[in-house]
Amino acid sequence: MTDTPRTPSQGTPPQWTPVALSRDLAPATAIPVIAEGTELALWRGRSGRLAAWHDRCPHRGMRLSQGFVRDDMLSCLYHGWRYDLEGQCRKIPAHPELEPNKAICVPAWSVTEATGIIWVSETGSGAPPDTGALAPLRSLTVERSEDALRDHLGDGVVIEFDGLHLLLQGLPQGRCVLHALTGPGLDAAGQRAASHRLEALRTRFEDSEDIA
Amino acid sequence: MKDCWFPVGAADDIPSAPGRETLLMGEPIRLFRKAGQIQACDAEGRDLPVTVAYDHVWTSLGTPSQPIFAIPEAEEPGRRFVPCGHVRVACSPLRAVENFLDIAHFPFVHTDILGAEPHTEVYRYEVKIREEEDEVWATKVRFYQPQAAKAAEGGQEIEYMYRVPLPTASVLYKTCPSKPEAWDVIAIFVQPLTETTCVAWPWMALYDDTSSQADLVGFQQMIFLQDRAILENQVPALLPLDPGKEIPTRADMTSIAYRRWLKSHDYTYGAQLEAQ
Ligand code: FES
Ligand SMILES: [Fe+2]
């Protein structure tokens, strides 16, 4: 048997999903994100390193995205179980003397940050698309499905539209995040104008009867 | 589980007929006052059994085989009864009870009130199912608390006992700050609206002649709102009854016994079983 490379033309989902702009995830914070229908806890340690895990603490199921970061450890909000960047449980505060069992580990996805965008992938194979010199602008959620938007916008990874460069992150229940990038070197006024165009785009998509 | 008693309202808040509607295990029911009596009926107008206990109205969609559980301590003279209103929570009624049985979360969820780092250790305690009463009991539970109760001044080690007499009701006894030889009684009565939504009715029987009723209710409400932030973020929403889905430790002995007891009685409304 040989491995057949997955290509978009076979209708397989993308290997890497853009889930946030780097600037929207400060050091020592955690946020919930969704990639390919899976709820993930995306967090950044104090050192700046990233991790993306199933958003469920193995202990009693609390969402880890609600947890708090100290140094390069994420603590669950419920009972404070502490996990390192690899997802390994390092401390159970109810039993301070106990070395946690190695089997207590949160399933992790691969996460990569490049040119201001954070990407995740379940398999981690290959590299995320290169957005080159494009500058991240902002992310915004549209009440339309990724499929409906792609019917309208086209199928590429980076979609050029109305002077903006868009990355799409599909969400459940007919919603989609647009991560907008611009050409390099825009000044503040140019960024403001681009941001307004993005908002106008959202209104247009949500008002349009063609994109349902 | 249908044959168990469930709390459905505060006894002093039932209007006269036609009364008001609420949900019990997904079924619409109606509570009303008629000829000075509190009554309940289902959507077809069929009468449901009613009992009033601990300032709350209890009913059942089936036929309870026993009267409501006793809280003998509540009969002791000098106690104040404090019904604490209600908190609606988008979670399994069983998860709400399990959270009530849990102490390890105090330093993280009720920070600087019921617990504080670095005092996070849960010491060994005892848990058993009392066969005669058919109740889950945890005893000799000890925990360090910065402000154990409204009337408490400063931190102290508090001793607790927990009991689960019904699948959605639990009573805890804790060292009383103003009367060391007595126990404060705090209960949670949980109304299962659906498998993933419930109303928690906290209730207390205390020795405390200094705090105002409003302060006592406010204190309990604050604690339950902190718990709600957790309960609405547990995944899955249903309580897993089969071991292996979640990883408990020694601190969770009460929760383990509660899950086993639920399973052995087939009390599975709000629970998730292996097949699912
Ligand atoms: S649920 Fe995460 S530490 Fe208990
Ligand atoms: Fe709590």
PDB file of all heavy atoms in Angstrom, chain B residues 4 28 35 76 102 119 194 219 222:
ATOM      1  N   CYS B   4     -39.379   8.594  42.522  1.00  0.00           N
ATOM      2  CA  CYS B   4     -38.745   9.364  43.599  1.00  0.00           C
ATOM      3  C   CYS B   4     -39.478  10.692  43.800  1.00  0.00           C
ATOM      4  O   CYS B   4     -40.191  11.169  42.923  1.00  0.00           O
ATOM      5  CB  CYS B   4     -37.292   9.658  43.248  1.00  0.00           C
ATOM      6  SG  CYS B   4     -36.254   8.197  43.203  1.00  0.00           S
ATOM      7  N   PRO B  28     -44.651  18.828  31.561  1.00  0.00           N
ATOM      8  CA  PRO B  28     -45.251  20.002  32.192  1.00  0.00           C
ATOM      9  C   PRO B  28     -46.150  19.582  33.352  1.00  0.00           C
ATOM     10  O   PRO B  28     -46.936  18.637  33.214  1.00  0.00           O
ATOM     11  CB  PRO B  28     -46.077  20.647  31.066  1.00  0.00           C
ATOM     12  CG  PRO B  28     -46.154  19.652  29.968  1.00  0.00           C
ATOM     13  CD  PRO B  28     -45.154  18.568  30.209  1.00  0.00           C
ATOM     14  N   ALA B  35     -58.111  25.431  48.719  1.00  0.00           N
ATOM     15  CA  ALA B  35     -58.630  25.168  50.071  1.00  0.00           C
ATOM     16  C   ALA B  35     -57.476  25.053  51.068  1.00  0.00           C
ATOM     17  O   ALA B  35     -57.436  24.154  51.904  1.00  0.00           O
ATOM     18  CB  ALA B  35     -59.488  23.894  50.086  1.00  0.00           C
ATOM     19  N   GLU B  76     -34.198  20.281  65.798  1.00  0.00           N
ATOM     20  CA  GLU B  76     -33.595  20.800  67.027  1.00  0.00           C
ATOM     21  C   GLU B  76     -34.023  22.244  67.261  1.00  0.00           C
ATOM     22  O   GLU B  76     -34.042  23.049  66.335  1.00  0.00           O
ATOM     23  CB  GLU B  76     -32.062  20.730  66.925  1.00  0.00           C
ATOM     24  CG  GLU B  76     -31.533  19.312  66.892  1.00  0.00           C
ATOM     25  CD  GLU B  76     -30.075  19.231  66.436  1.00  0.00           C
ATOM     26  OE1 GLU B  76     -29.473  20.288  66.134  1.00  0.00           O
ATOM     27  OE2 GLU B  76     -29.554  18.109  66.358  1.00  0.00           O
ATOM     28  N   ASP B 102     -18.659  17.783  46.246  1.00  0.00           N
ATOM     29  CA  ASP B 102     -17.233  17.910  45.942  1.00  0.00           C
ATOM     30  C   ASP B 102     -16.601  19.018  46.778  1.00  0.00           C
ATOM     31  O   ASP B 102     -17.135  20.128  46.842  1.00  0.00           O
ATOM     32  CB  ASP B 102     -17.100  18.229  44.447  1.00  0.00           C
ATOM     33  CG  ASP B 102     -15.667  18.389  44.006  1.00  0.00           C
ATOM     34  OD1 ASP B 102     -15.011  17.363  43.776  1.00  0.00           O
ATOM     35  OD2 ASP B 102     -15.201  19.538  43.900  1.00  0.00           O
ATOM     36  N   HIS B 119      -3.924  25.780  50.526  1.00  0.00           N
ATOM     37  CA  HIS B 119      -4.621  24.739  51.314  1.00  0.00           C
ATOM     38  C   HIS B 119      -5.548  23.930  50.419  1.00  0.00           C
ATOM     39  O   HIS B 119      -6.767  24.051  50.507  1.00  0.00           O
ATOM     40  CB  HIS B 119      -5.417  25.379  52.447  1.00  0.00           C
ATOM     41  CG  HIS B 119      -4.611  26.315  53.284  1.00  0.00           C
ATOM     42  ND1 HIS B 119      -3.752  25.877  54.261  1.00  0.00           N
ATOM     43  CD2 HIS B 119      -4.493  27.659  53.278  1.00  0.00           C
ATOM     44  CE1 HIS B 119      -3.158  26.914  54.823  1.00  0.00           C
ATOM     45  NE2 HIS B 119      -3.594  28.003  54.239  1.00  0.00           N
ATOM     46  N   THR B 194     -35.190  19.109  32.672  1.00  0.00           N
ATOM     47  CA  THR B 194     -34.923  18.153  31.593  1.00  0.00           C
ATOM     48  C   THR B 194     -33.644  17.422  31.997  1.00  0.00           C
ATOM     49  O   THR B 194     -33.127  17.646  33.083  1.00  0.00           O
ATOM     50  CB  THR B 194     -34.684  18.865  30.243  1.00  0.00           C
ATOM     51  OG1 THR B 194     -33.463  19.596  30.334  1.00  0.00           O
ATOM     52  CG2 THR B 194     -35.836  19.814  29.894  1.00  0.00           C
ATOM     53  N   PHE B 219     -25.219  35.135  50.576  1.00  0.00           N
ATOM     54  CA  PHE B 219     -24.000  34.333  50.662  1.00  0.00           C
ATOM     55  C   PHE B 219     -24.174  33.023  49.878  1.00  0.00           C
ATOM     56  O   PHE B 219     -23.344  32.674  49.042  1.00  0.00           O
ATOM     57  CB  PHE B 219     -23.695  34.037  52.138  1.00  0.00           C
ATOM     58  CG  PHE B 219     -22.403  33.291  52.368  1.00  0.00           C
ATOM     59  CD1 PHE B 219     -21.190  33.952  52.360  1.00  0.00           C
ATOM     60  CD2 PHE B 219     -22.409  31.909  52.603  1.00  0.00           C
ATOM     61  CE1 PHE B 219     -20.000  33.264  52.575  1.00  0.00           C
ATOM     62  CE2 PHE B 219     -21.221  31.212  52.820  1.00  0.00           C
ATOM     63  CZ  PHE B 219     -20.020  31.894  52.812  1.00  0.00           C
ATOM     64  N   MET B 222     -24.370  33.593  46.086  1.00  0.00           N
ATOM     65  CA  MET B 222     -23.050  33.861  45.511  1.00  0.00           C
ATOM     66  C   MET B 222     -22.300  32.544  45.274  1.00  0.00           C
ATOM     67  O   MET B 222     -21.724  32.314  44.211  1.00  0.00           O
ATOM     68  CB  MET B 222     -22.263  34.767  46.452  1.00  0.00           C
ATOM     69  CG  MET B 222     -20.809  34.927  46.065  1.00  0.00           C
ATOM     70  SD  MET B 222     -19.899  35.872  47.296  1.00  0.00           S
ATOM     71  CE  MET B 222     -19.875  34.736  48.685  1.00  0.00           C
TER      72      MET B 222
END
